[in-house]
Amino acid sequence: MFTPERLVLARKRRRMSQAALAAASGLSPQSINAFEKHRKVPSAETLASLAWILRFPVAFFQAPPAPEMQLDAVSFRAPTKMSALERDATLSSGAVASTLNAWLEERFRLPAPNVPTYPHLTPEQAAEQVRAAWGLGEAPVPNLVHLLEANGVRVFSLAPDCLDADAFSTIYAGTPYVFLNTRKTGERGRFDAAHELGHLVLHSEHRIPGGREGEPEANAFASAFLMPRAGIIAQRLNDASVERILSAKRRWGVSAMALAYRLRALGLLSEWRHTQTVKKLAQMGYRSGEPGSLLSRESSQLLAKVFDAMRAKGMTAADVAAQMGIHPDDLNDYVFGLVPISVPGEGMTSTAPRPELRLVHDATPAGHAQSVTALTPSISSAIVTTPTKTPFEEPNDGAPAPPTPLRRPTRSGPTVPRGR
């Protein structure tokens, strides 16, 4: 069995044109095109050669077609500055990650999407509404990755060769995805996650995520979501000094520059005071980093539970990669910095702080698996280690019912169920 769409996916993932793949394999461009267009099936020897060049196992090309992520449905920061090969590689990376999610959903009960959409509201209003829907009040968000996962967002790491994308989000078949650069500081990682949440909330339904106003709106949403107006005003940061800003930023888990900008937006810093503050912060090294920060990168609670459950069954990350038809180092790319896994024989380890885990023994019928619950200060979510669709364990806290599944539009034609 040979799946032409998988050849296209692998080629784009490795940033190769048809001509480049033909040159590397010794085949004609016409043959590569024929393979991809369902007009010709490669021999076993030819397929093995293509698999070796593209650095995917042969099994990858024999699996069913993977989801196809459309450019118009993805929130790239600056798509016009990316080459076609860079865009295709990043989109293809997201497609492979979605196959990992599909593999997980076949074996675990994952949180259902619960991200409200407010395309008709301003970023400030939308941030307030999401905070209210998720019961956050005016307090700092304790762990944004945990919060996203608890509300059905699948969070993965950007592959090393896709870091120019910075971060992006999309929706496929009603499931929201966020891809983060886990090499950044904890503060900037949190802002990126909130920024992508802004795209999911604001740029859905009839709105396209890549519009000219999309990035400023997502930034404004992230600022308001991480630093709510009432919470900031209650801290009495009027005309705050640089020292006061550096102290307050630790409470909110944001960068010094982001807090200074938020104070200016709320009218708590004058234009002149903001300019002077930014200059001083830049001189202190806060434009490119957060000197002396003790804030760790946020880890994934969901992936940690999944890998713990698999390890308990004697399954390794390499086993997961083999079942997905990818190499272990590719799997590591999607979870790097989010969960600690070791890839035997590859010499790589993805490290991240381990979240608090607790095994919950519930009264499930015989033959059903136990629920493994991960805890956050305000959210409790569960996954069940069985493909059986048993009821999802949720806290009885009076939270609102999940909204209609998210959808992203395309520039032409109606919205389709693939997501965005």
Side-chain angles (χ1 to χ4, degrees):
M1 177 182 176
F2 168 67
T3 306
E5 293 84 356
R6 288 275 179 155
L7 178 57
V8 177
L9 176 61
R11 175 176 59 77
K12 290 183 176 181
R13 178 66 193 91
R14 302 310 183 200
R15 302 192 182 207
M16 298 183 76
S17 64
Q18 287 186 347
L21 180 56
S25 63
L27 300 169
S28 68
Q30 292 78 11
S31 292
I32 300 297
N33 185 268
F35 295 152
E36 294 185 355
K37 299 296 185 182
H38 295 254
R39 294 197 301 266
K40 188 177 180 181
V41 176
S43 66
E45 182 180 0
T46 298
L47 182 57
S49 175
L50 292 172
W52 183 82
I53 291 167
L54 294 170
R55 306 194 306 281
F56 280 98
V58 171
F60 180 85
F61 302 92
Q62 299 171 331
E68 184 178 357
M69 293 192 173
Q70 302 292 334
L71 179 60
D72 285 346
V74 172
S75 65
F76 285 140
R77 301 288 173 89
T80 58
K81 295 182 180 180
M82 300 173 70
S83 69
L85 290 178
E86 288 174 332
R87 290 196 303 270
D88 286 346
T90 306
L91 289 171
S92 299
S93 177
V96 176
S98 70
T99 65
L100 170 58
N101 180 68
W103 188 92
L104 295 174
E105 288 186 343
E106 289 176 359
R107 293 158 177 81
F108 298 87
R109 187 77 166 103
L110 304 182
N114 180 34
V115 180
T117 58
Y118 301 110
H120 58 289
L121 297 183
T122 67
E124 186 86 23
Q125 292 170 335
E128 291 175 355
Q129 289 297 316
V130 176
R131 275 186 155 267
W134 288 355
L136 297 175
E138 302 299 334
V141 178
N143 187 306
L144 193 48
V145 171
H146 293 182
L147 182 65
L148 292 177
E149 291 180 329
N151 285 283
V153 180
R154 309 296 188 248
V155 182
F156 293 103
S157 177
L158 277 176
D161 64 315
C162 298
L163 296 183
D164 287 344
D166 209 25
F168 74 92
S169 57
T170 191
I171 303 171
Y172 180 80
T175 298
Y177 291 82
V178 166
F179 295 84
L180 300 174
N181 179 351
T182 56
R183 282 78 173 170
K184 290 186 176 183
T185 64
E187 292 88 349
R188 290 166 194 244
R190 281 168 56 84
F191 196 90
D192 279 351
H195 176 104
E196 297 308 325
L197 174 60
H199 280 302
L200 295 174
V201 171
L202 295 168
H203 306 137
S204 57
E205 300 176 19
H206 64 281
R207 301 198 62 195
I208 294 170
R212 178 178 298 179
E213 71 283 357
E215 289 304 298
E217 288 181 348
N219 279 334
F221 176 94
S223 184
F225 187 77
L226 291 174
M227 297 165 280
R229 176 189 298 270
I232 293 294
I233 291 176
Q235 267 200 288
R236 300 181 179 179
L237 294 171
N238 306 63
D239 293 323
S241 65
V242 168
E243 292 72 22
R244 183 81 171 91
I245 289 173
L246 292 179
S247 174
K249 86 180 188 73
R250 290 192 287 272
R251 168 175 168 77
W252 298 100
V254 298
S255 70
M257 289 290 190
L259 179 54
Y261 181 87
R262 180 62 171 158
L263 295 179
R264 175 68 190 110
L266 293 176
L268 300 179
L269 285 183
S270 67
E271 186 67 38
W272 179 86
R273 186 65 174 262
H274 175 258
T275 300
Q276 297 304 310
T277 298
V278 167
K279 285 182 179 178
K280 186 169 182 181
L281 287 172
Q283 293 170 355
M284 299 170 68
Y286 284 95
R287 186 175 296 281
S288 57
E290 298 301 311
S293 174
L294 299 178
L295 183 65
S296 300
R297 279 283 328 187
E298 294 181 345
S299 60
S300 166
Q301 209 166 44
L302 186 148
L303 292 174
K305 291 189 292 179
V306 164
F307 280 98
D308 279 350
M310 291 188 298
R311 275 193 292 267
K313 294 179 178 292
M315 195 173 189
T316 67
D319 295 329
V320 177
Q323 291 194 18
M324 288 182 59
I326 63 176
H327 289 306
D329 55 344
D330 284 317
L331 174 61
N332 188 76
D333 287 344
Y334 296 118
V335 301
F336 181 86
L338 292 173
V339 63
I341 67 169
S342 296
V343 182
E346 298 291 335
M348 295 187 302
T349 300
S350 173
T351 58
R354 293 183 63 81
E356 179 185 356
L357 301 176
R358 184 175 69 186
L359 182 63
V360 178
H361 299 270
D362 53 10
T364 53
H368 283 221
Q370 296 170 325
S371 297
V372 183
T373 303
L375 305 178
T376 67
S378 60
I379 299 292
S380 176
S381 59
I383 55 176
V384 180
T385 54
T386 175
T388 305
K389 299 302 182 183
T390 54
F392 176 62
E393 178 184 325
E394 293 179 338
N396 184 19
D397 56 3
T404 303
L406 297 155
R407 296 181 297 169
R408 276 284 173 85
T410 57
R411 293 187 185 276
S412 60
T415 301
V416 294
R418 57 147 177 77
R420 315 196 335 198

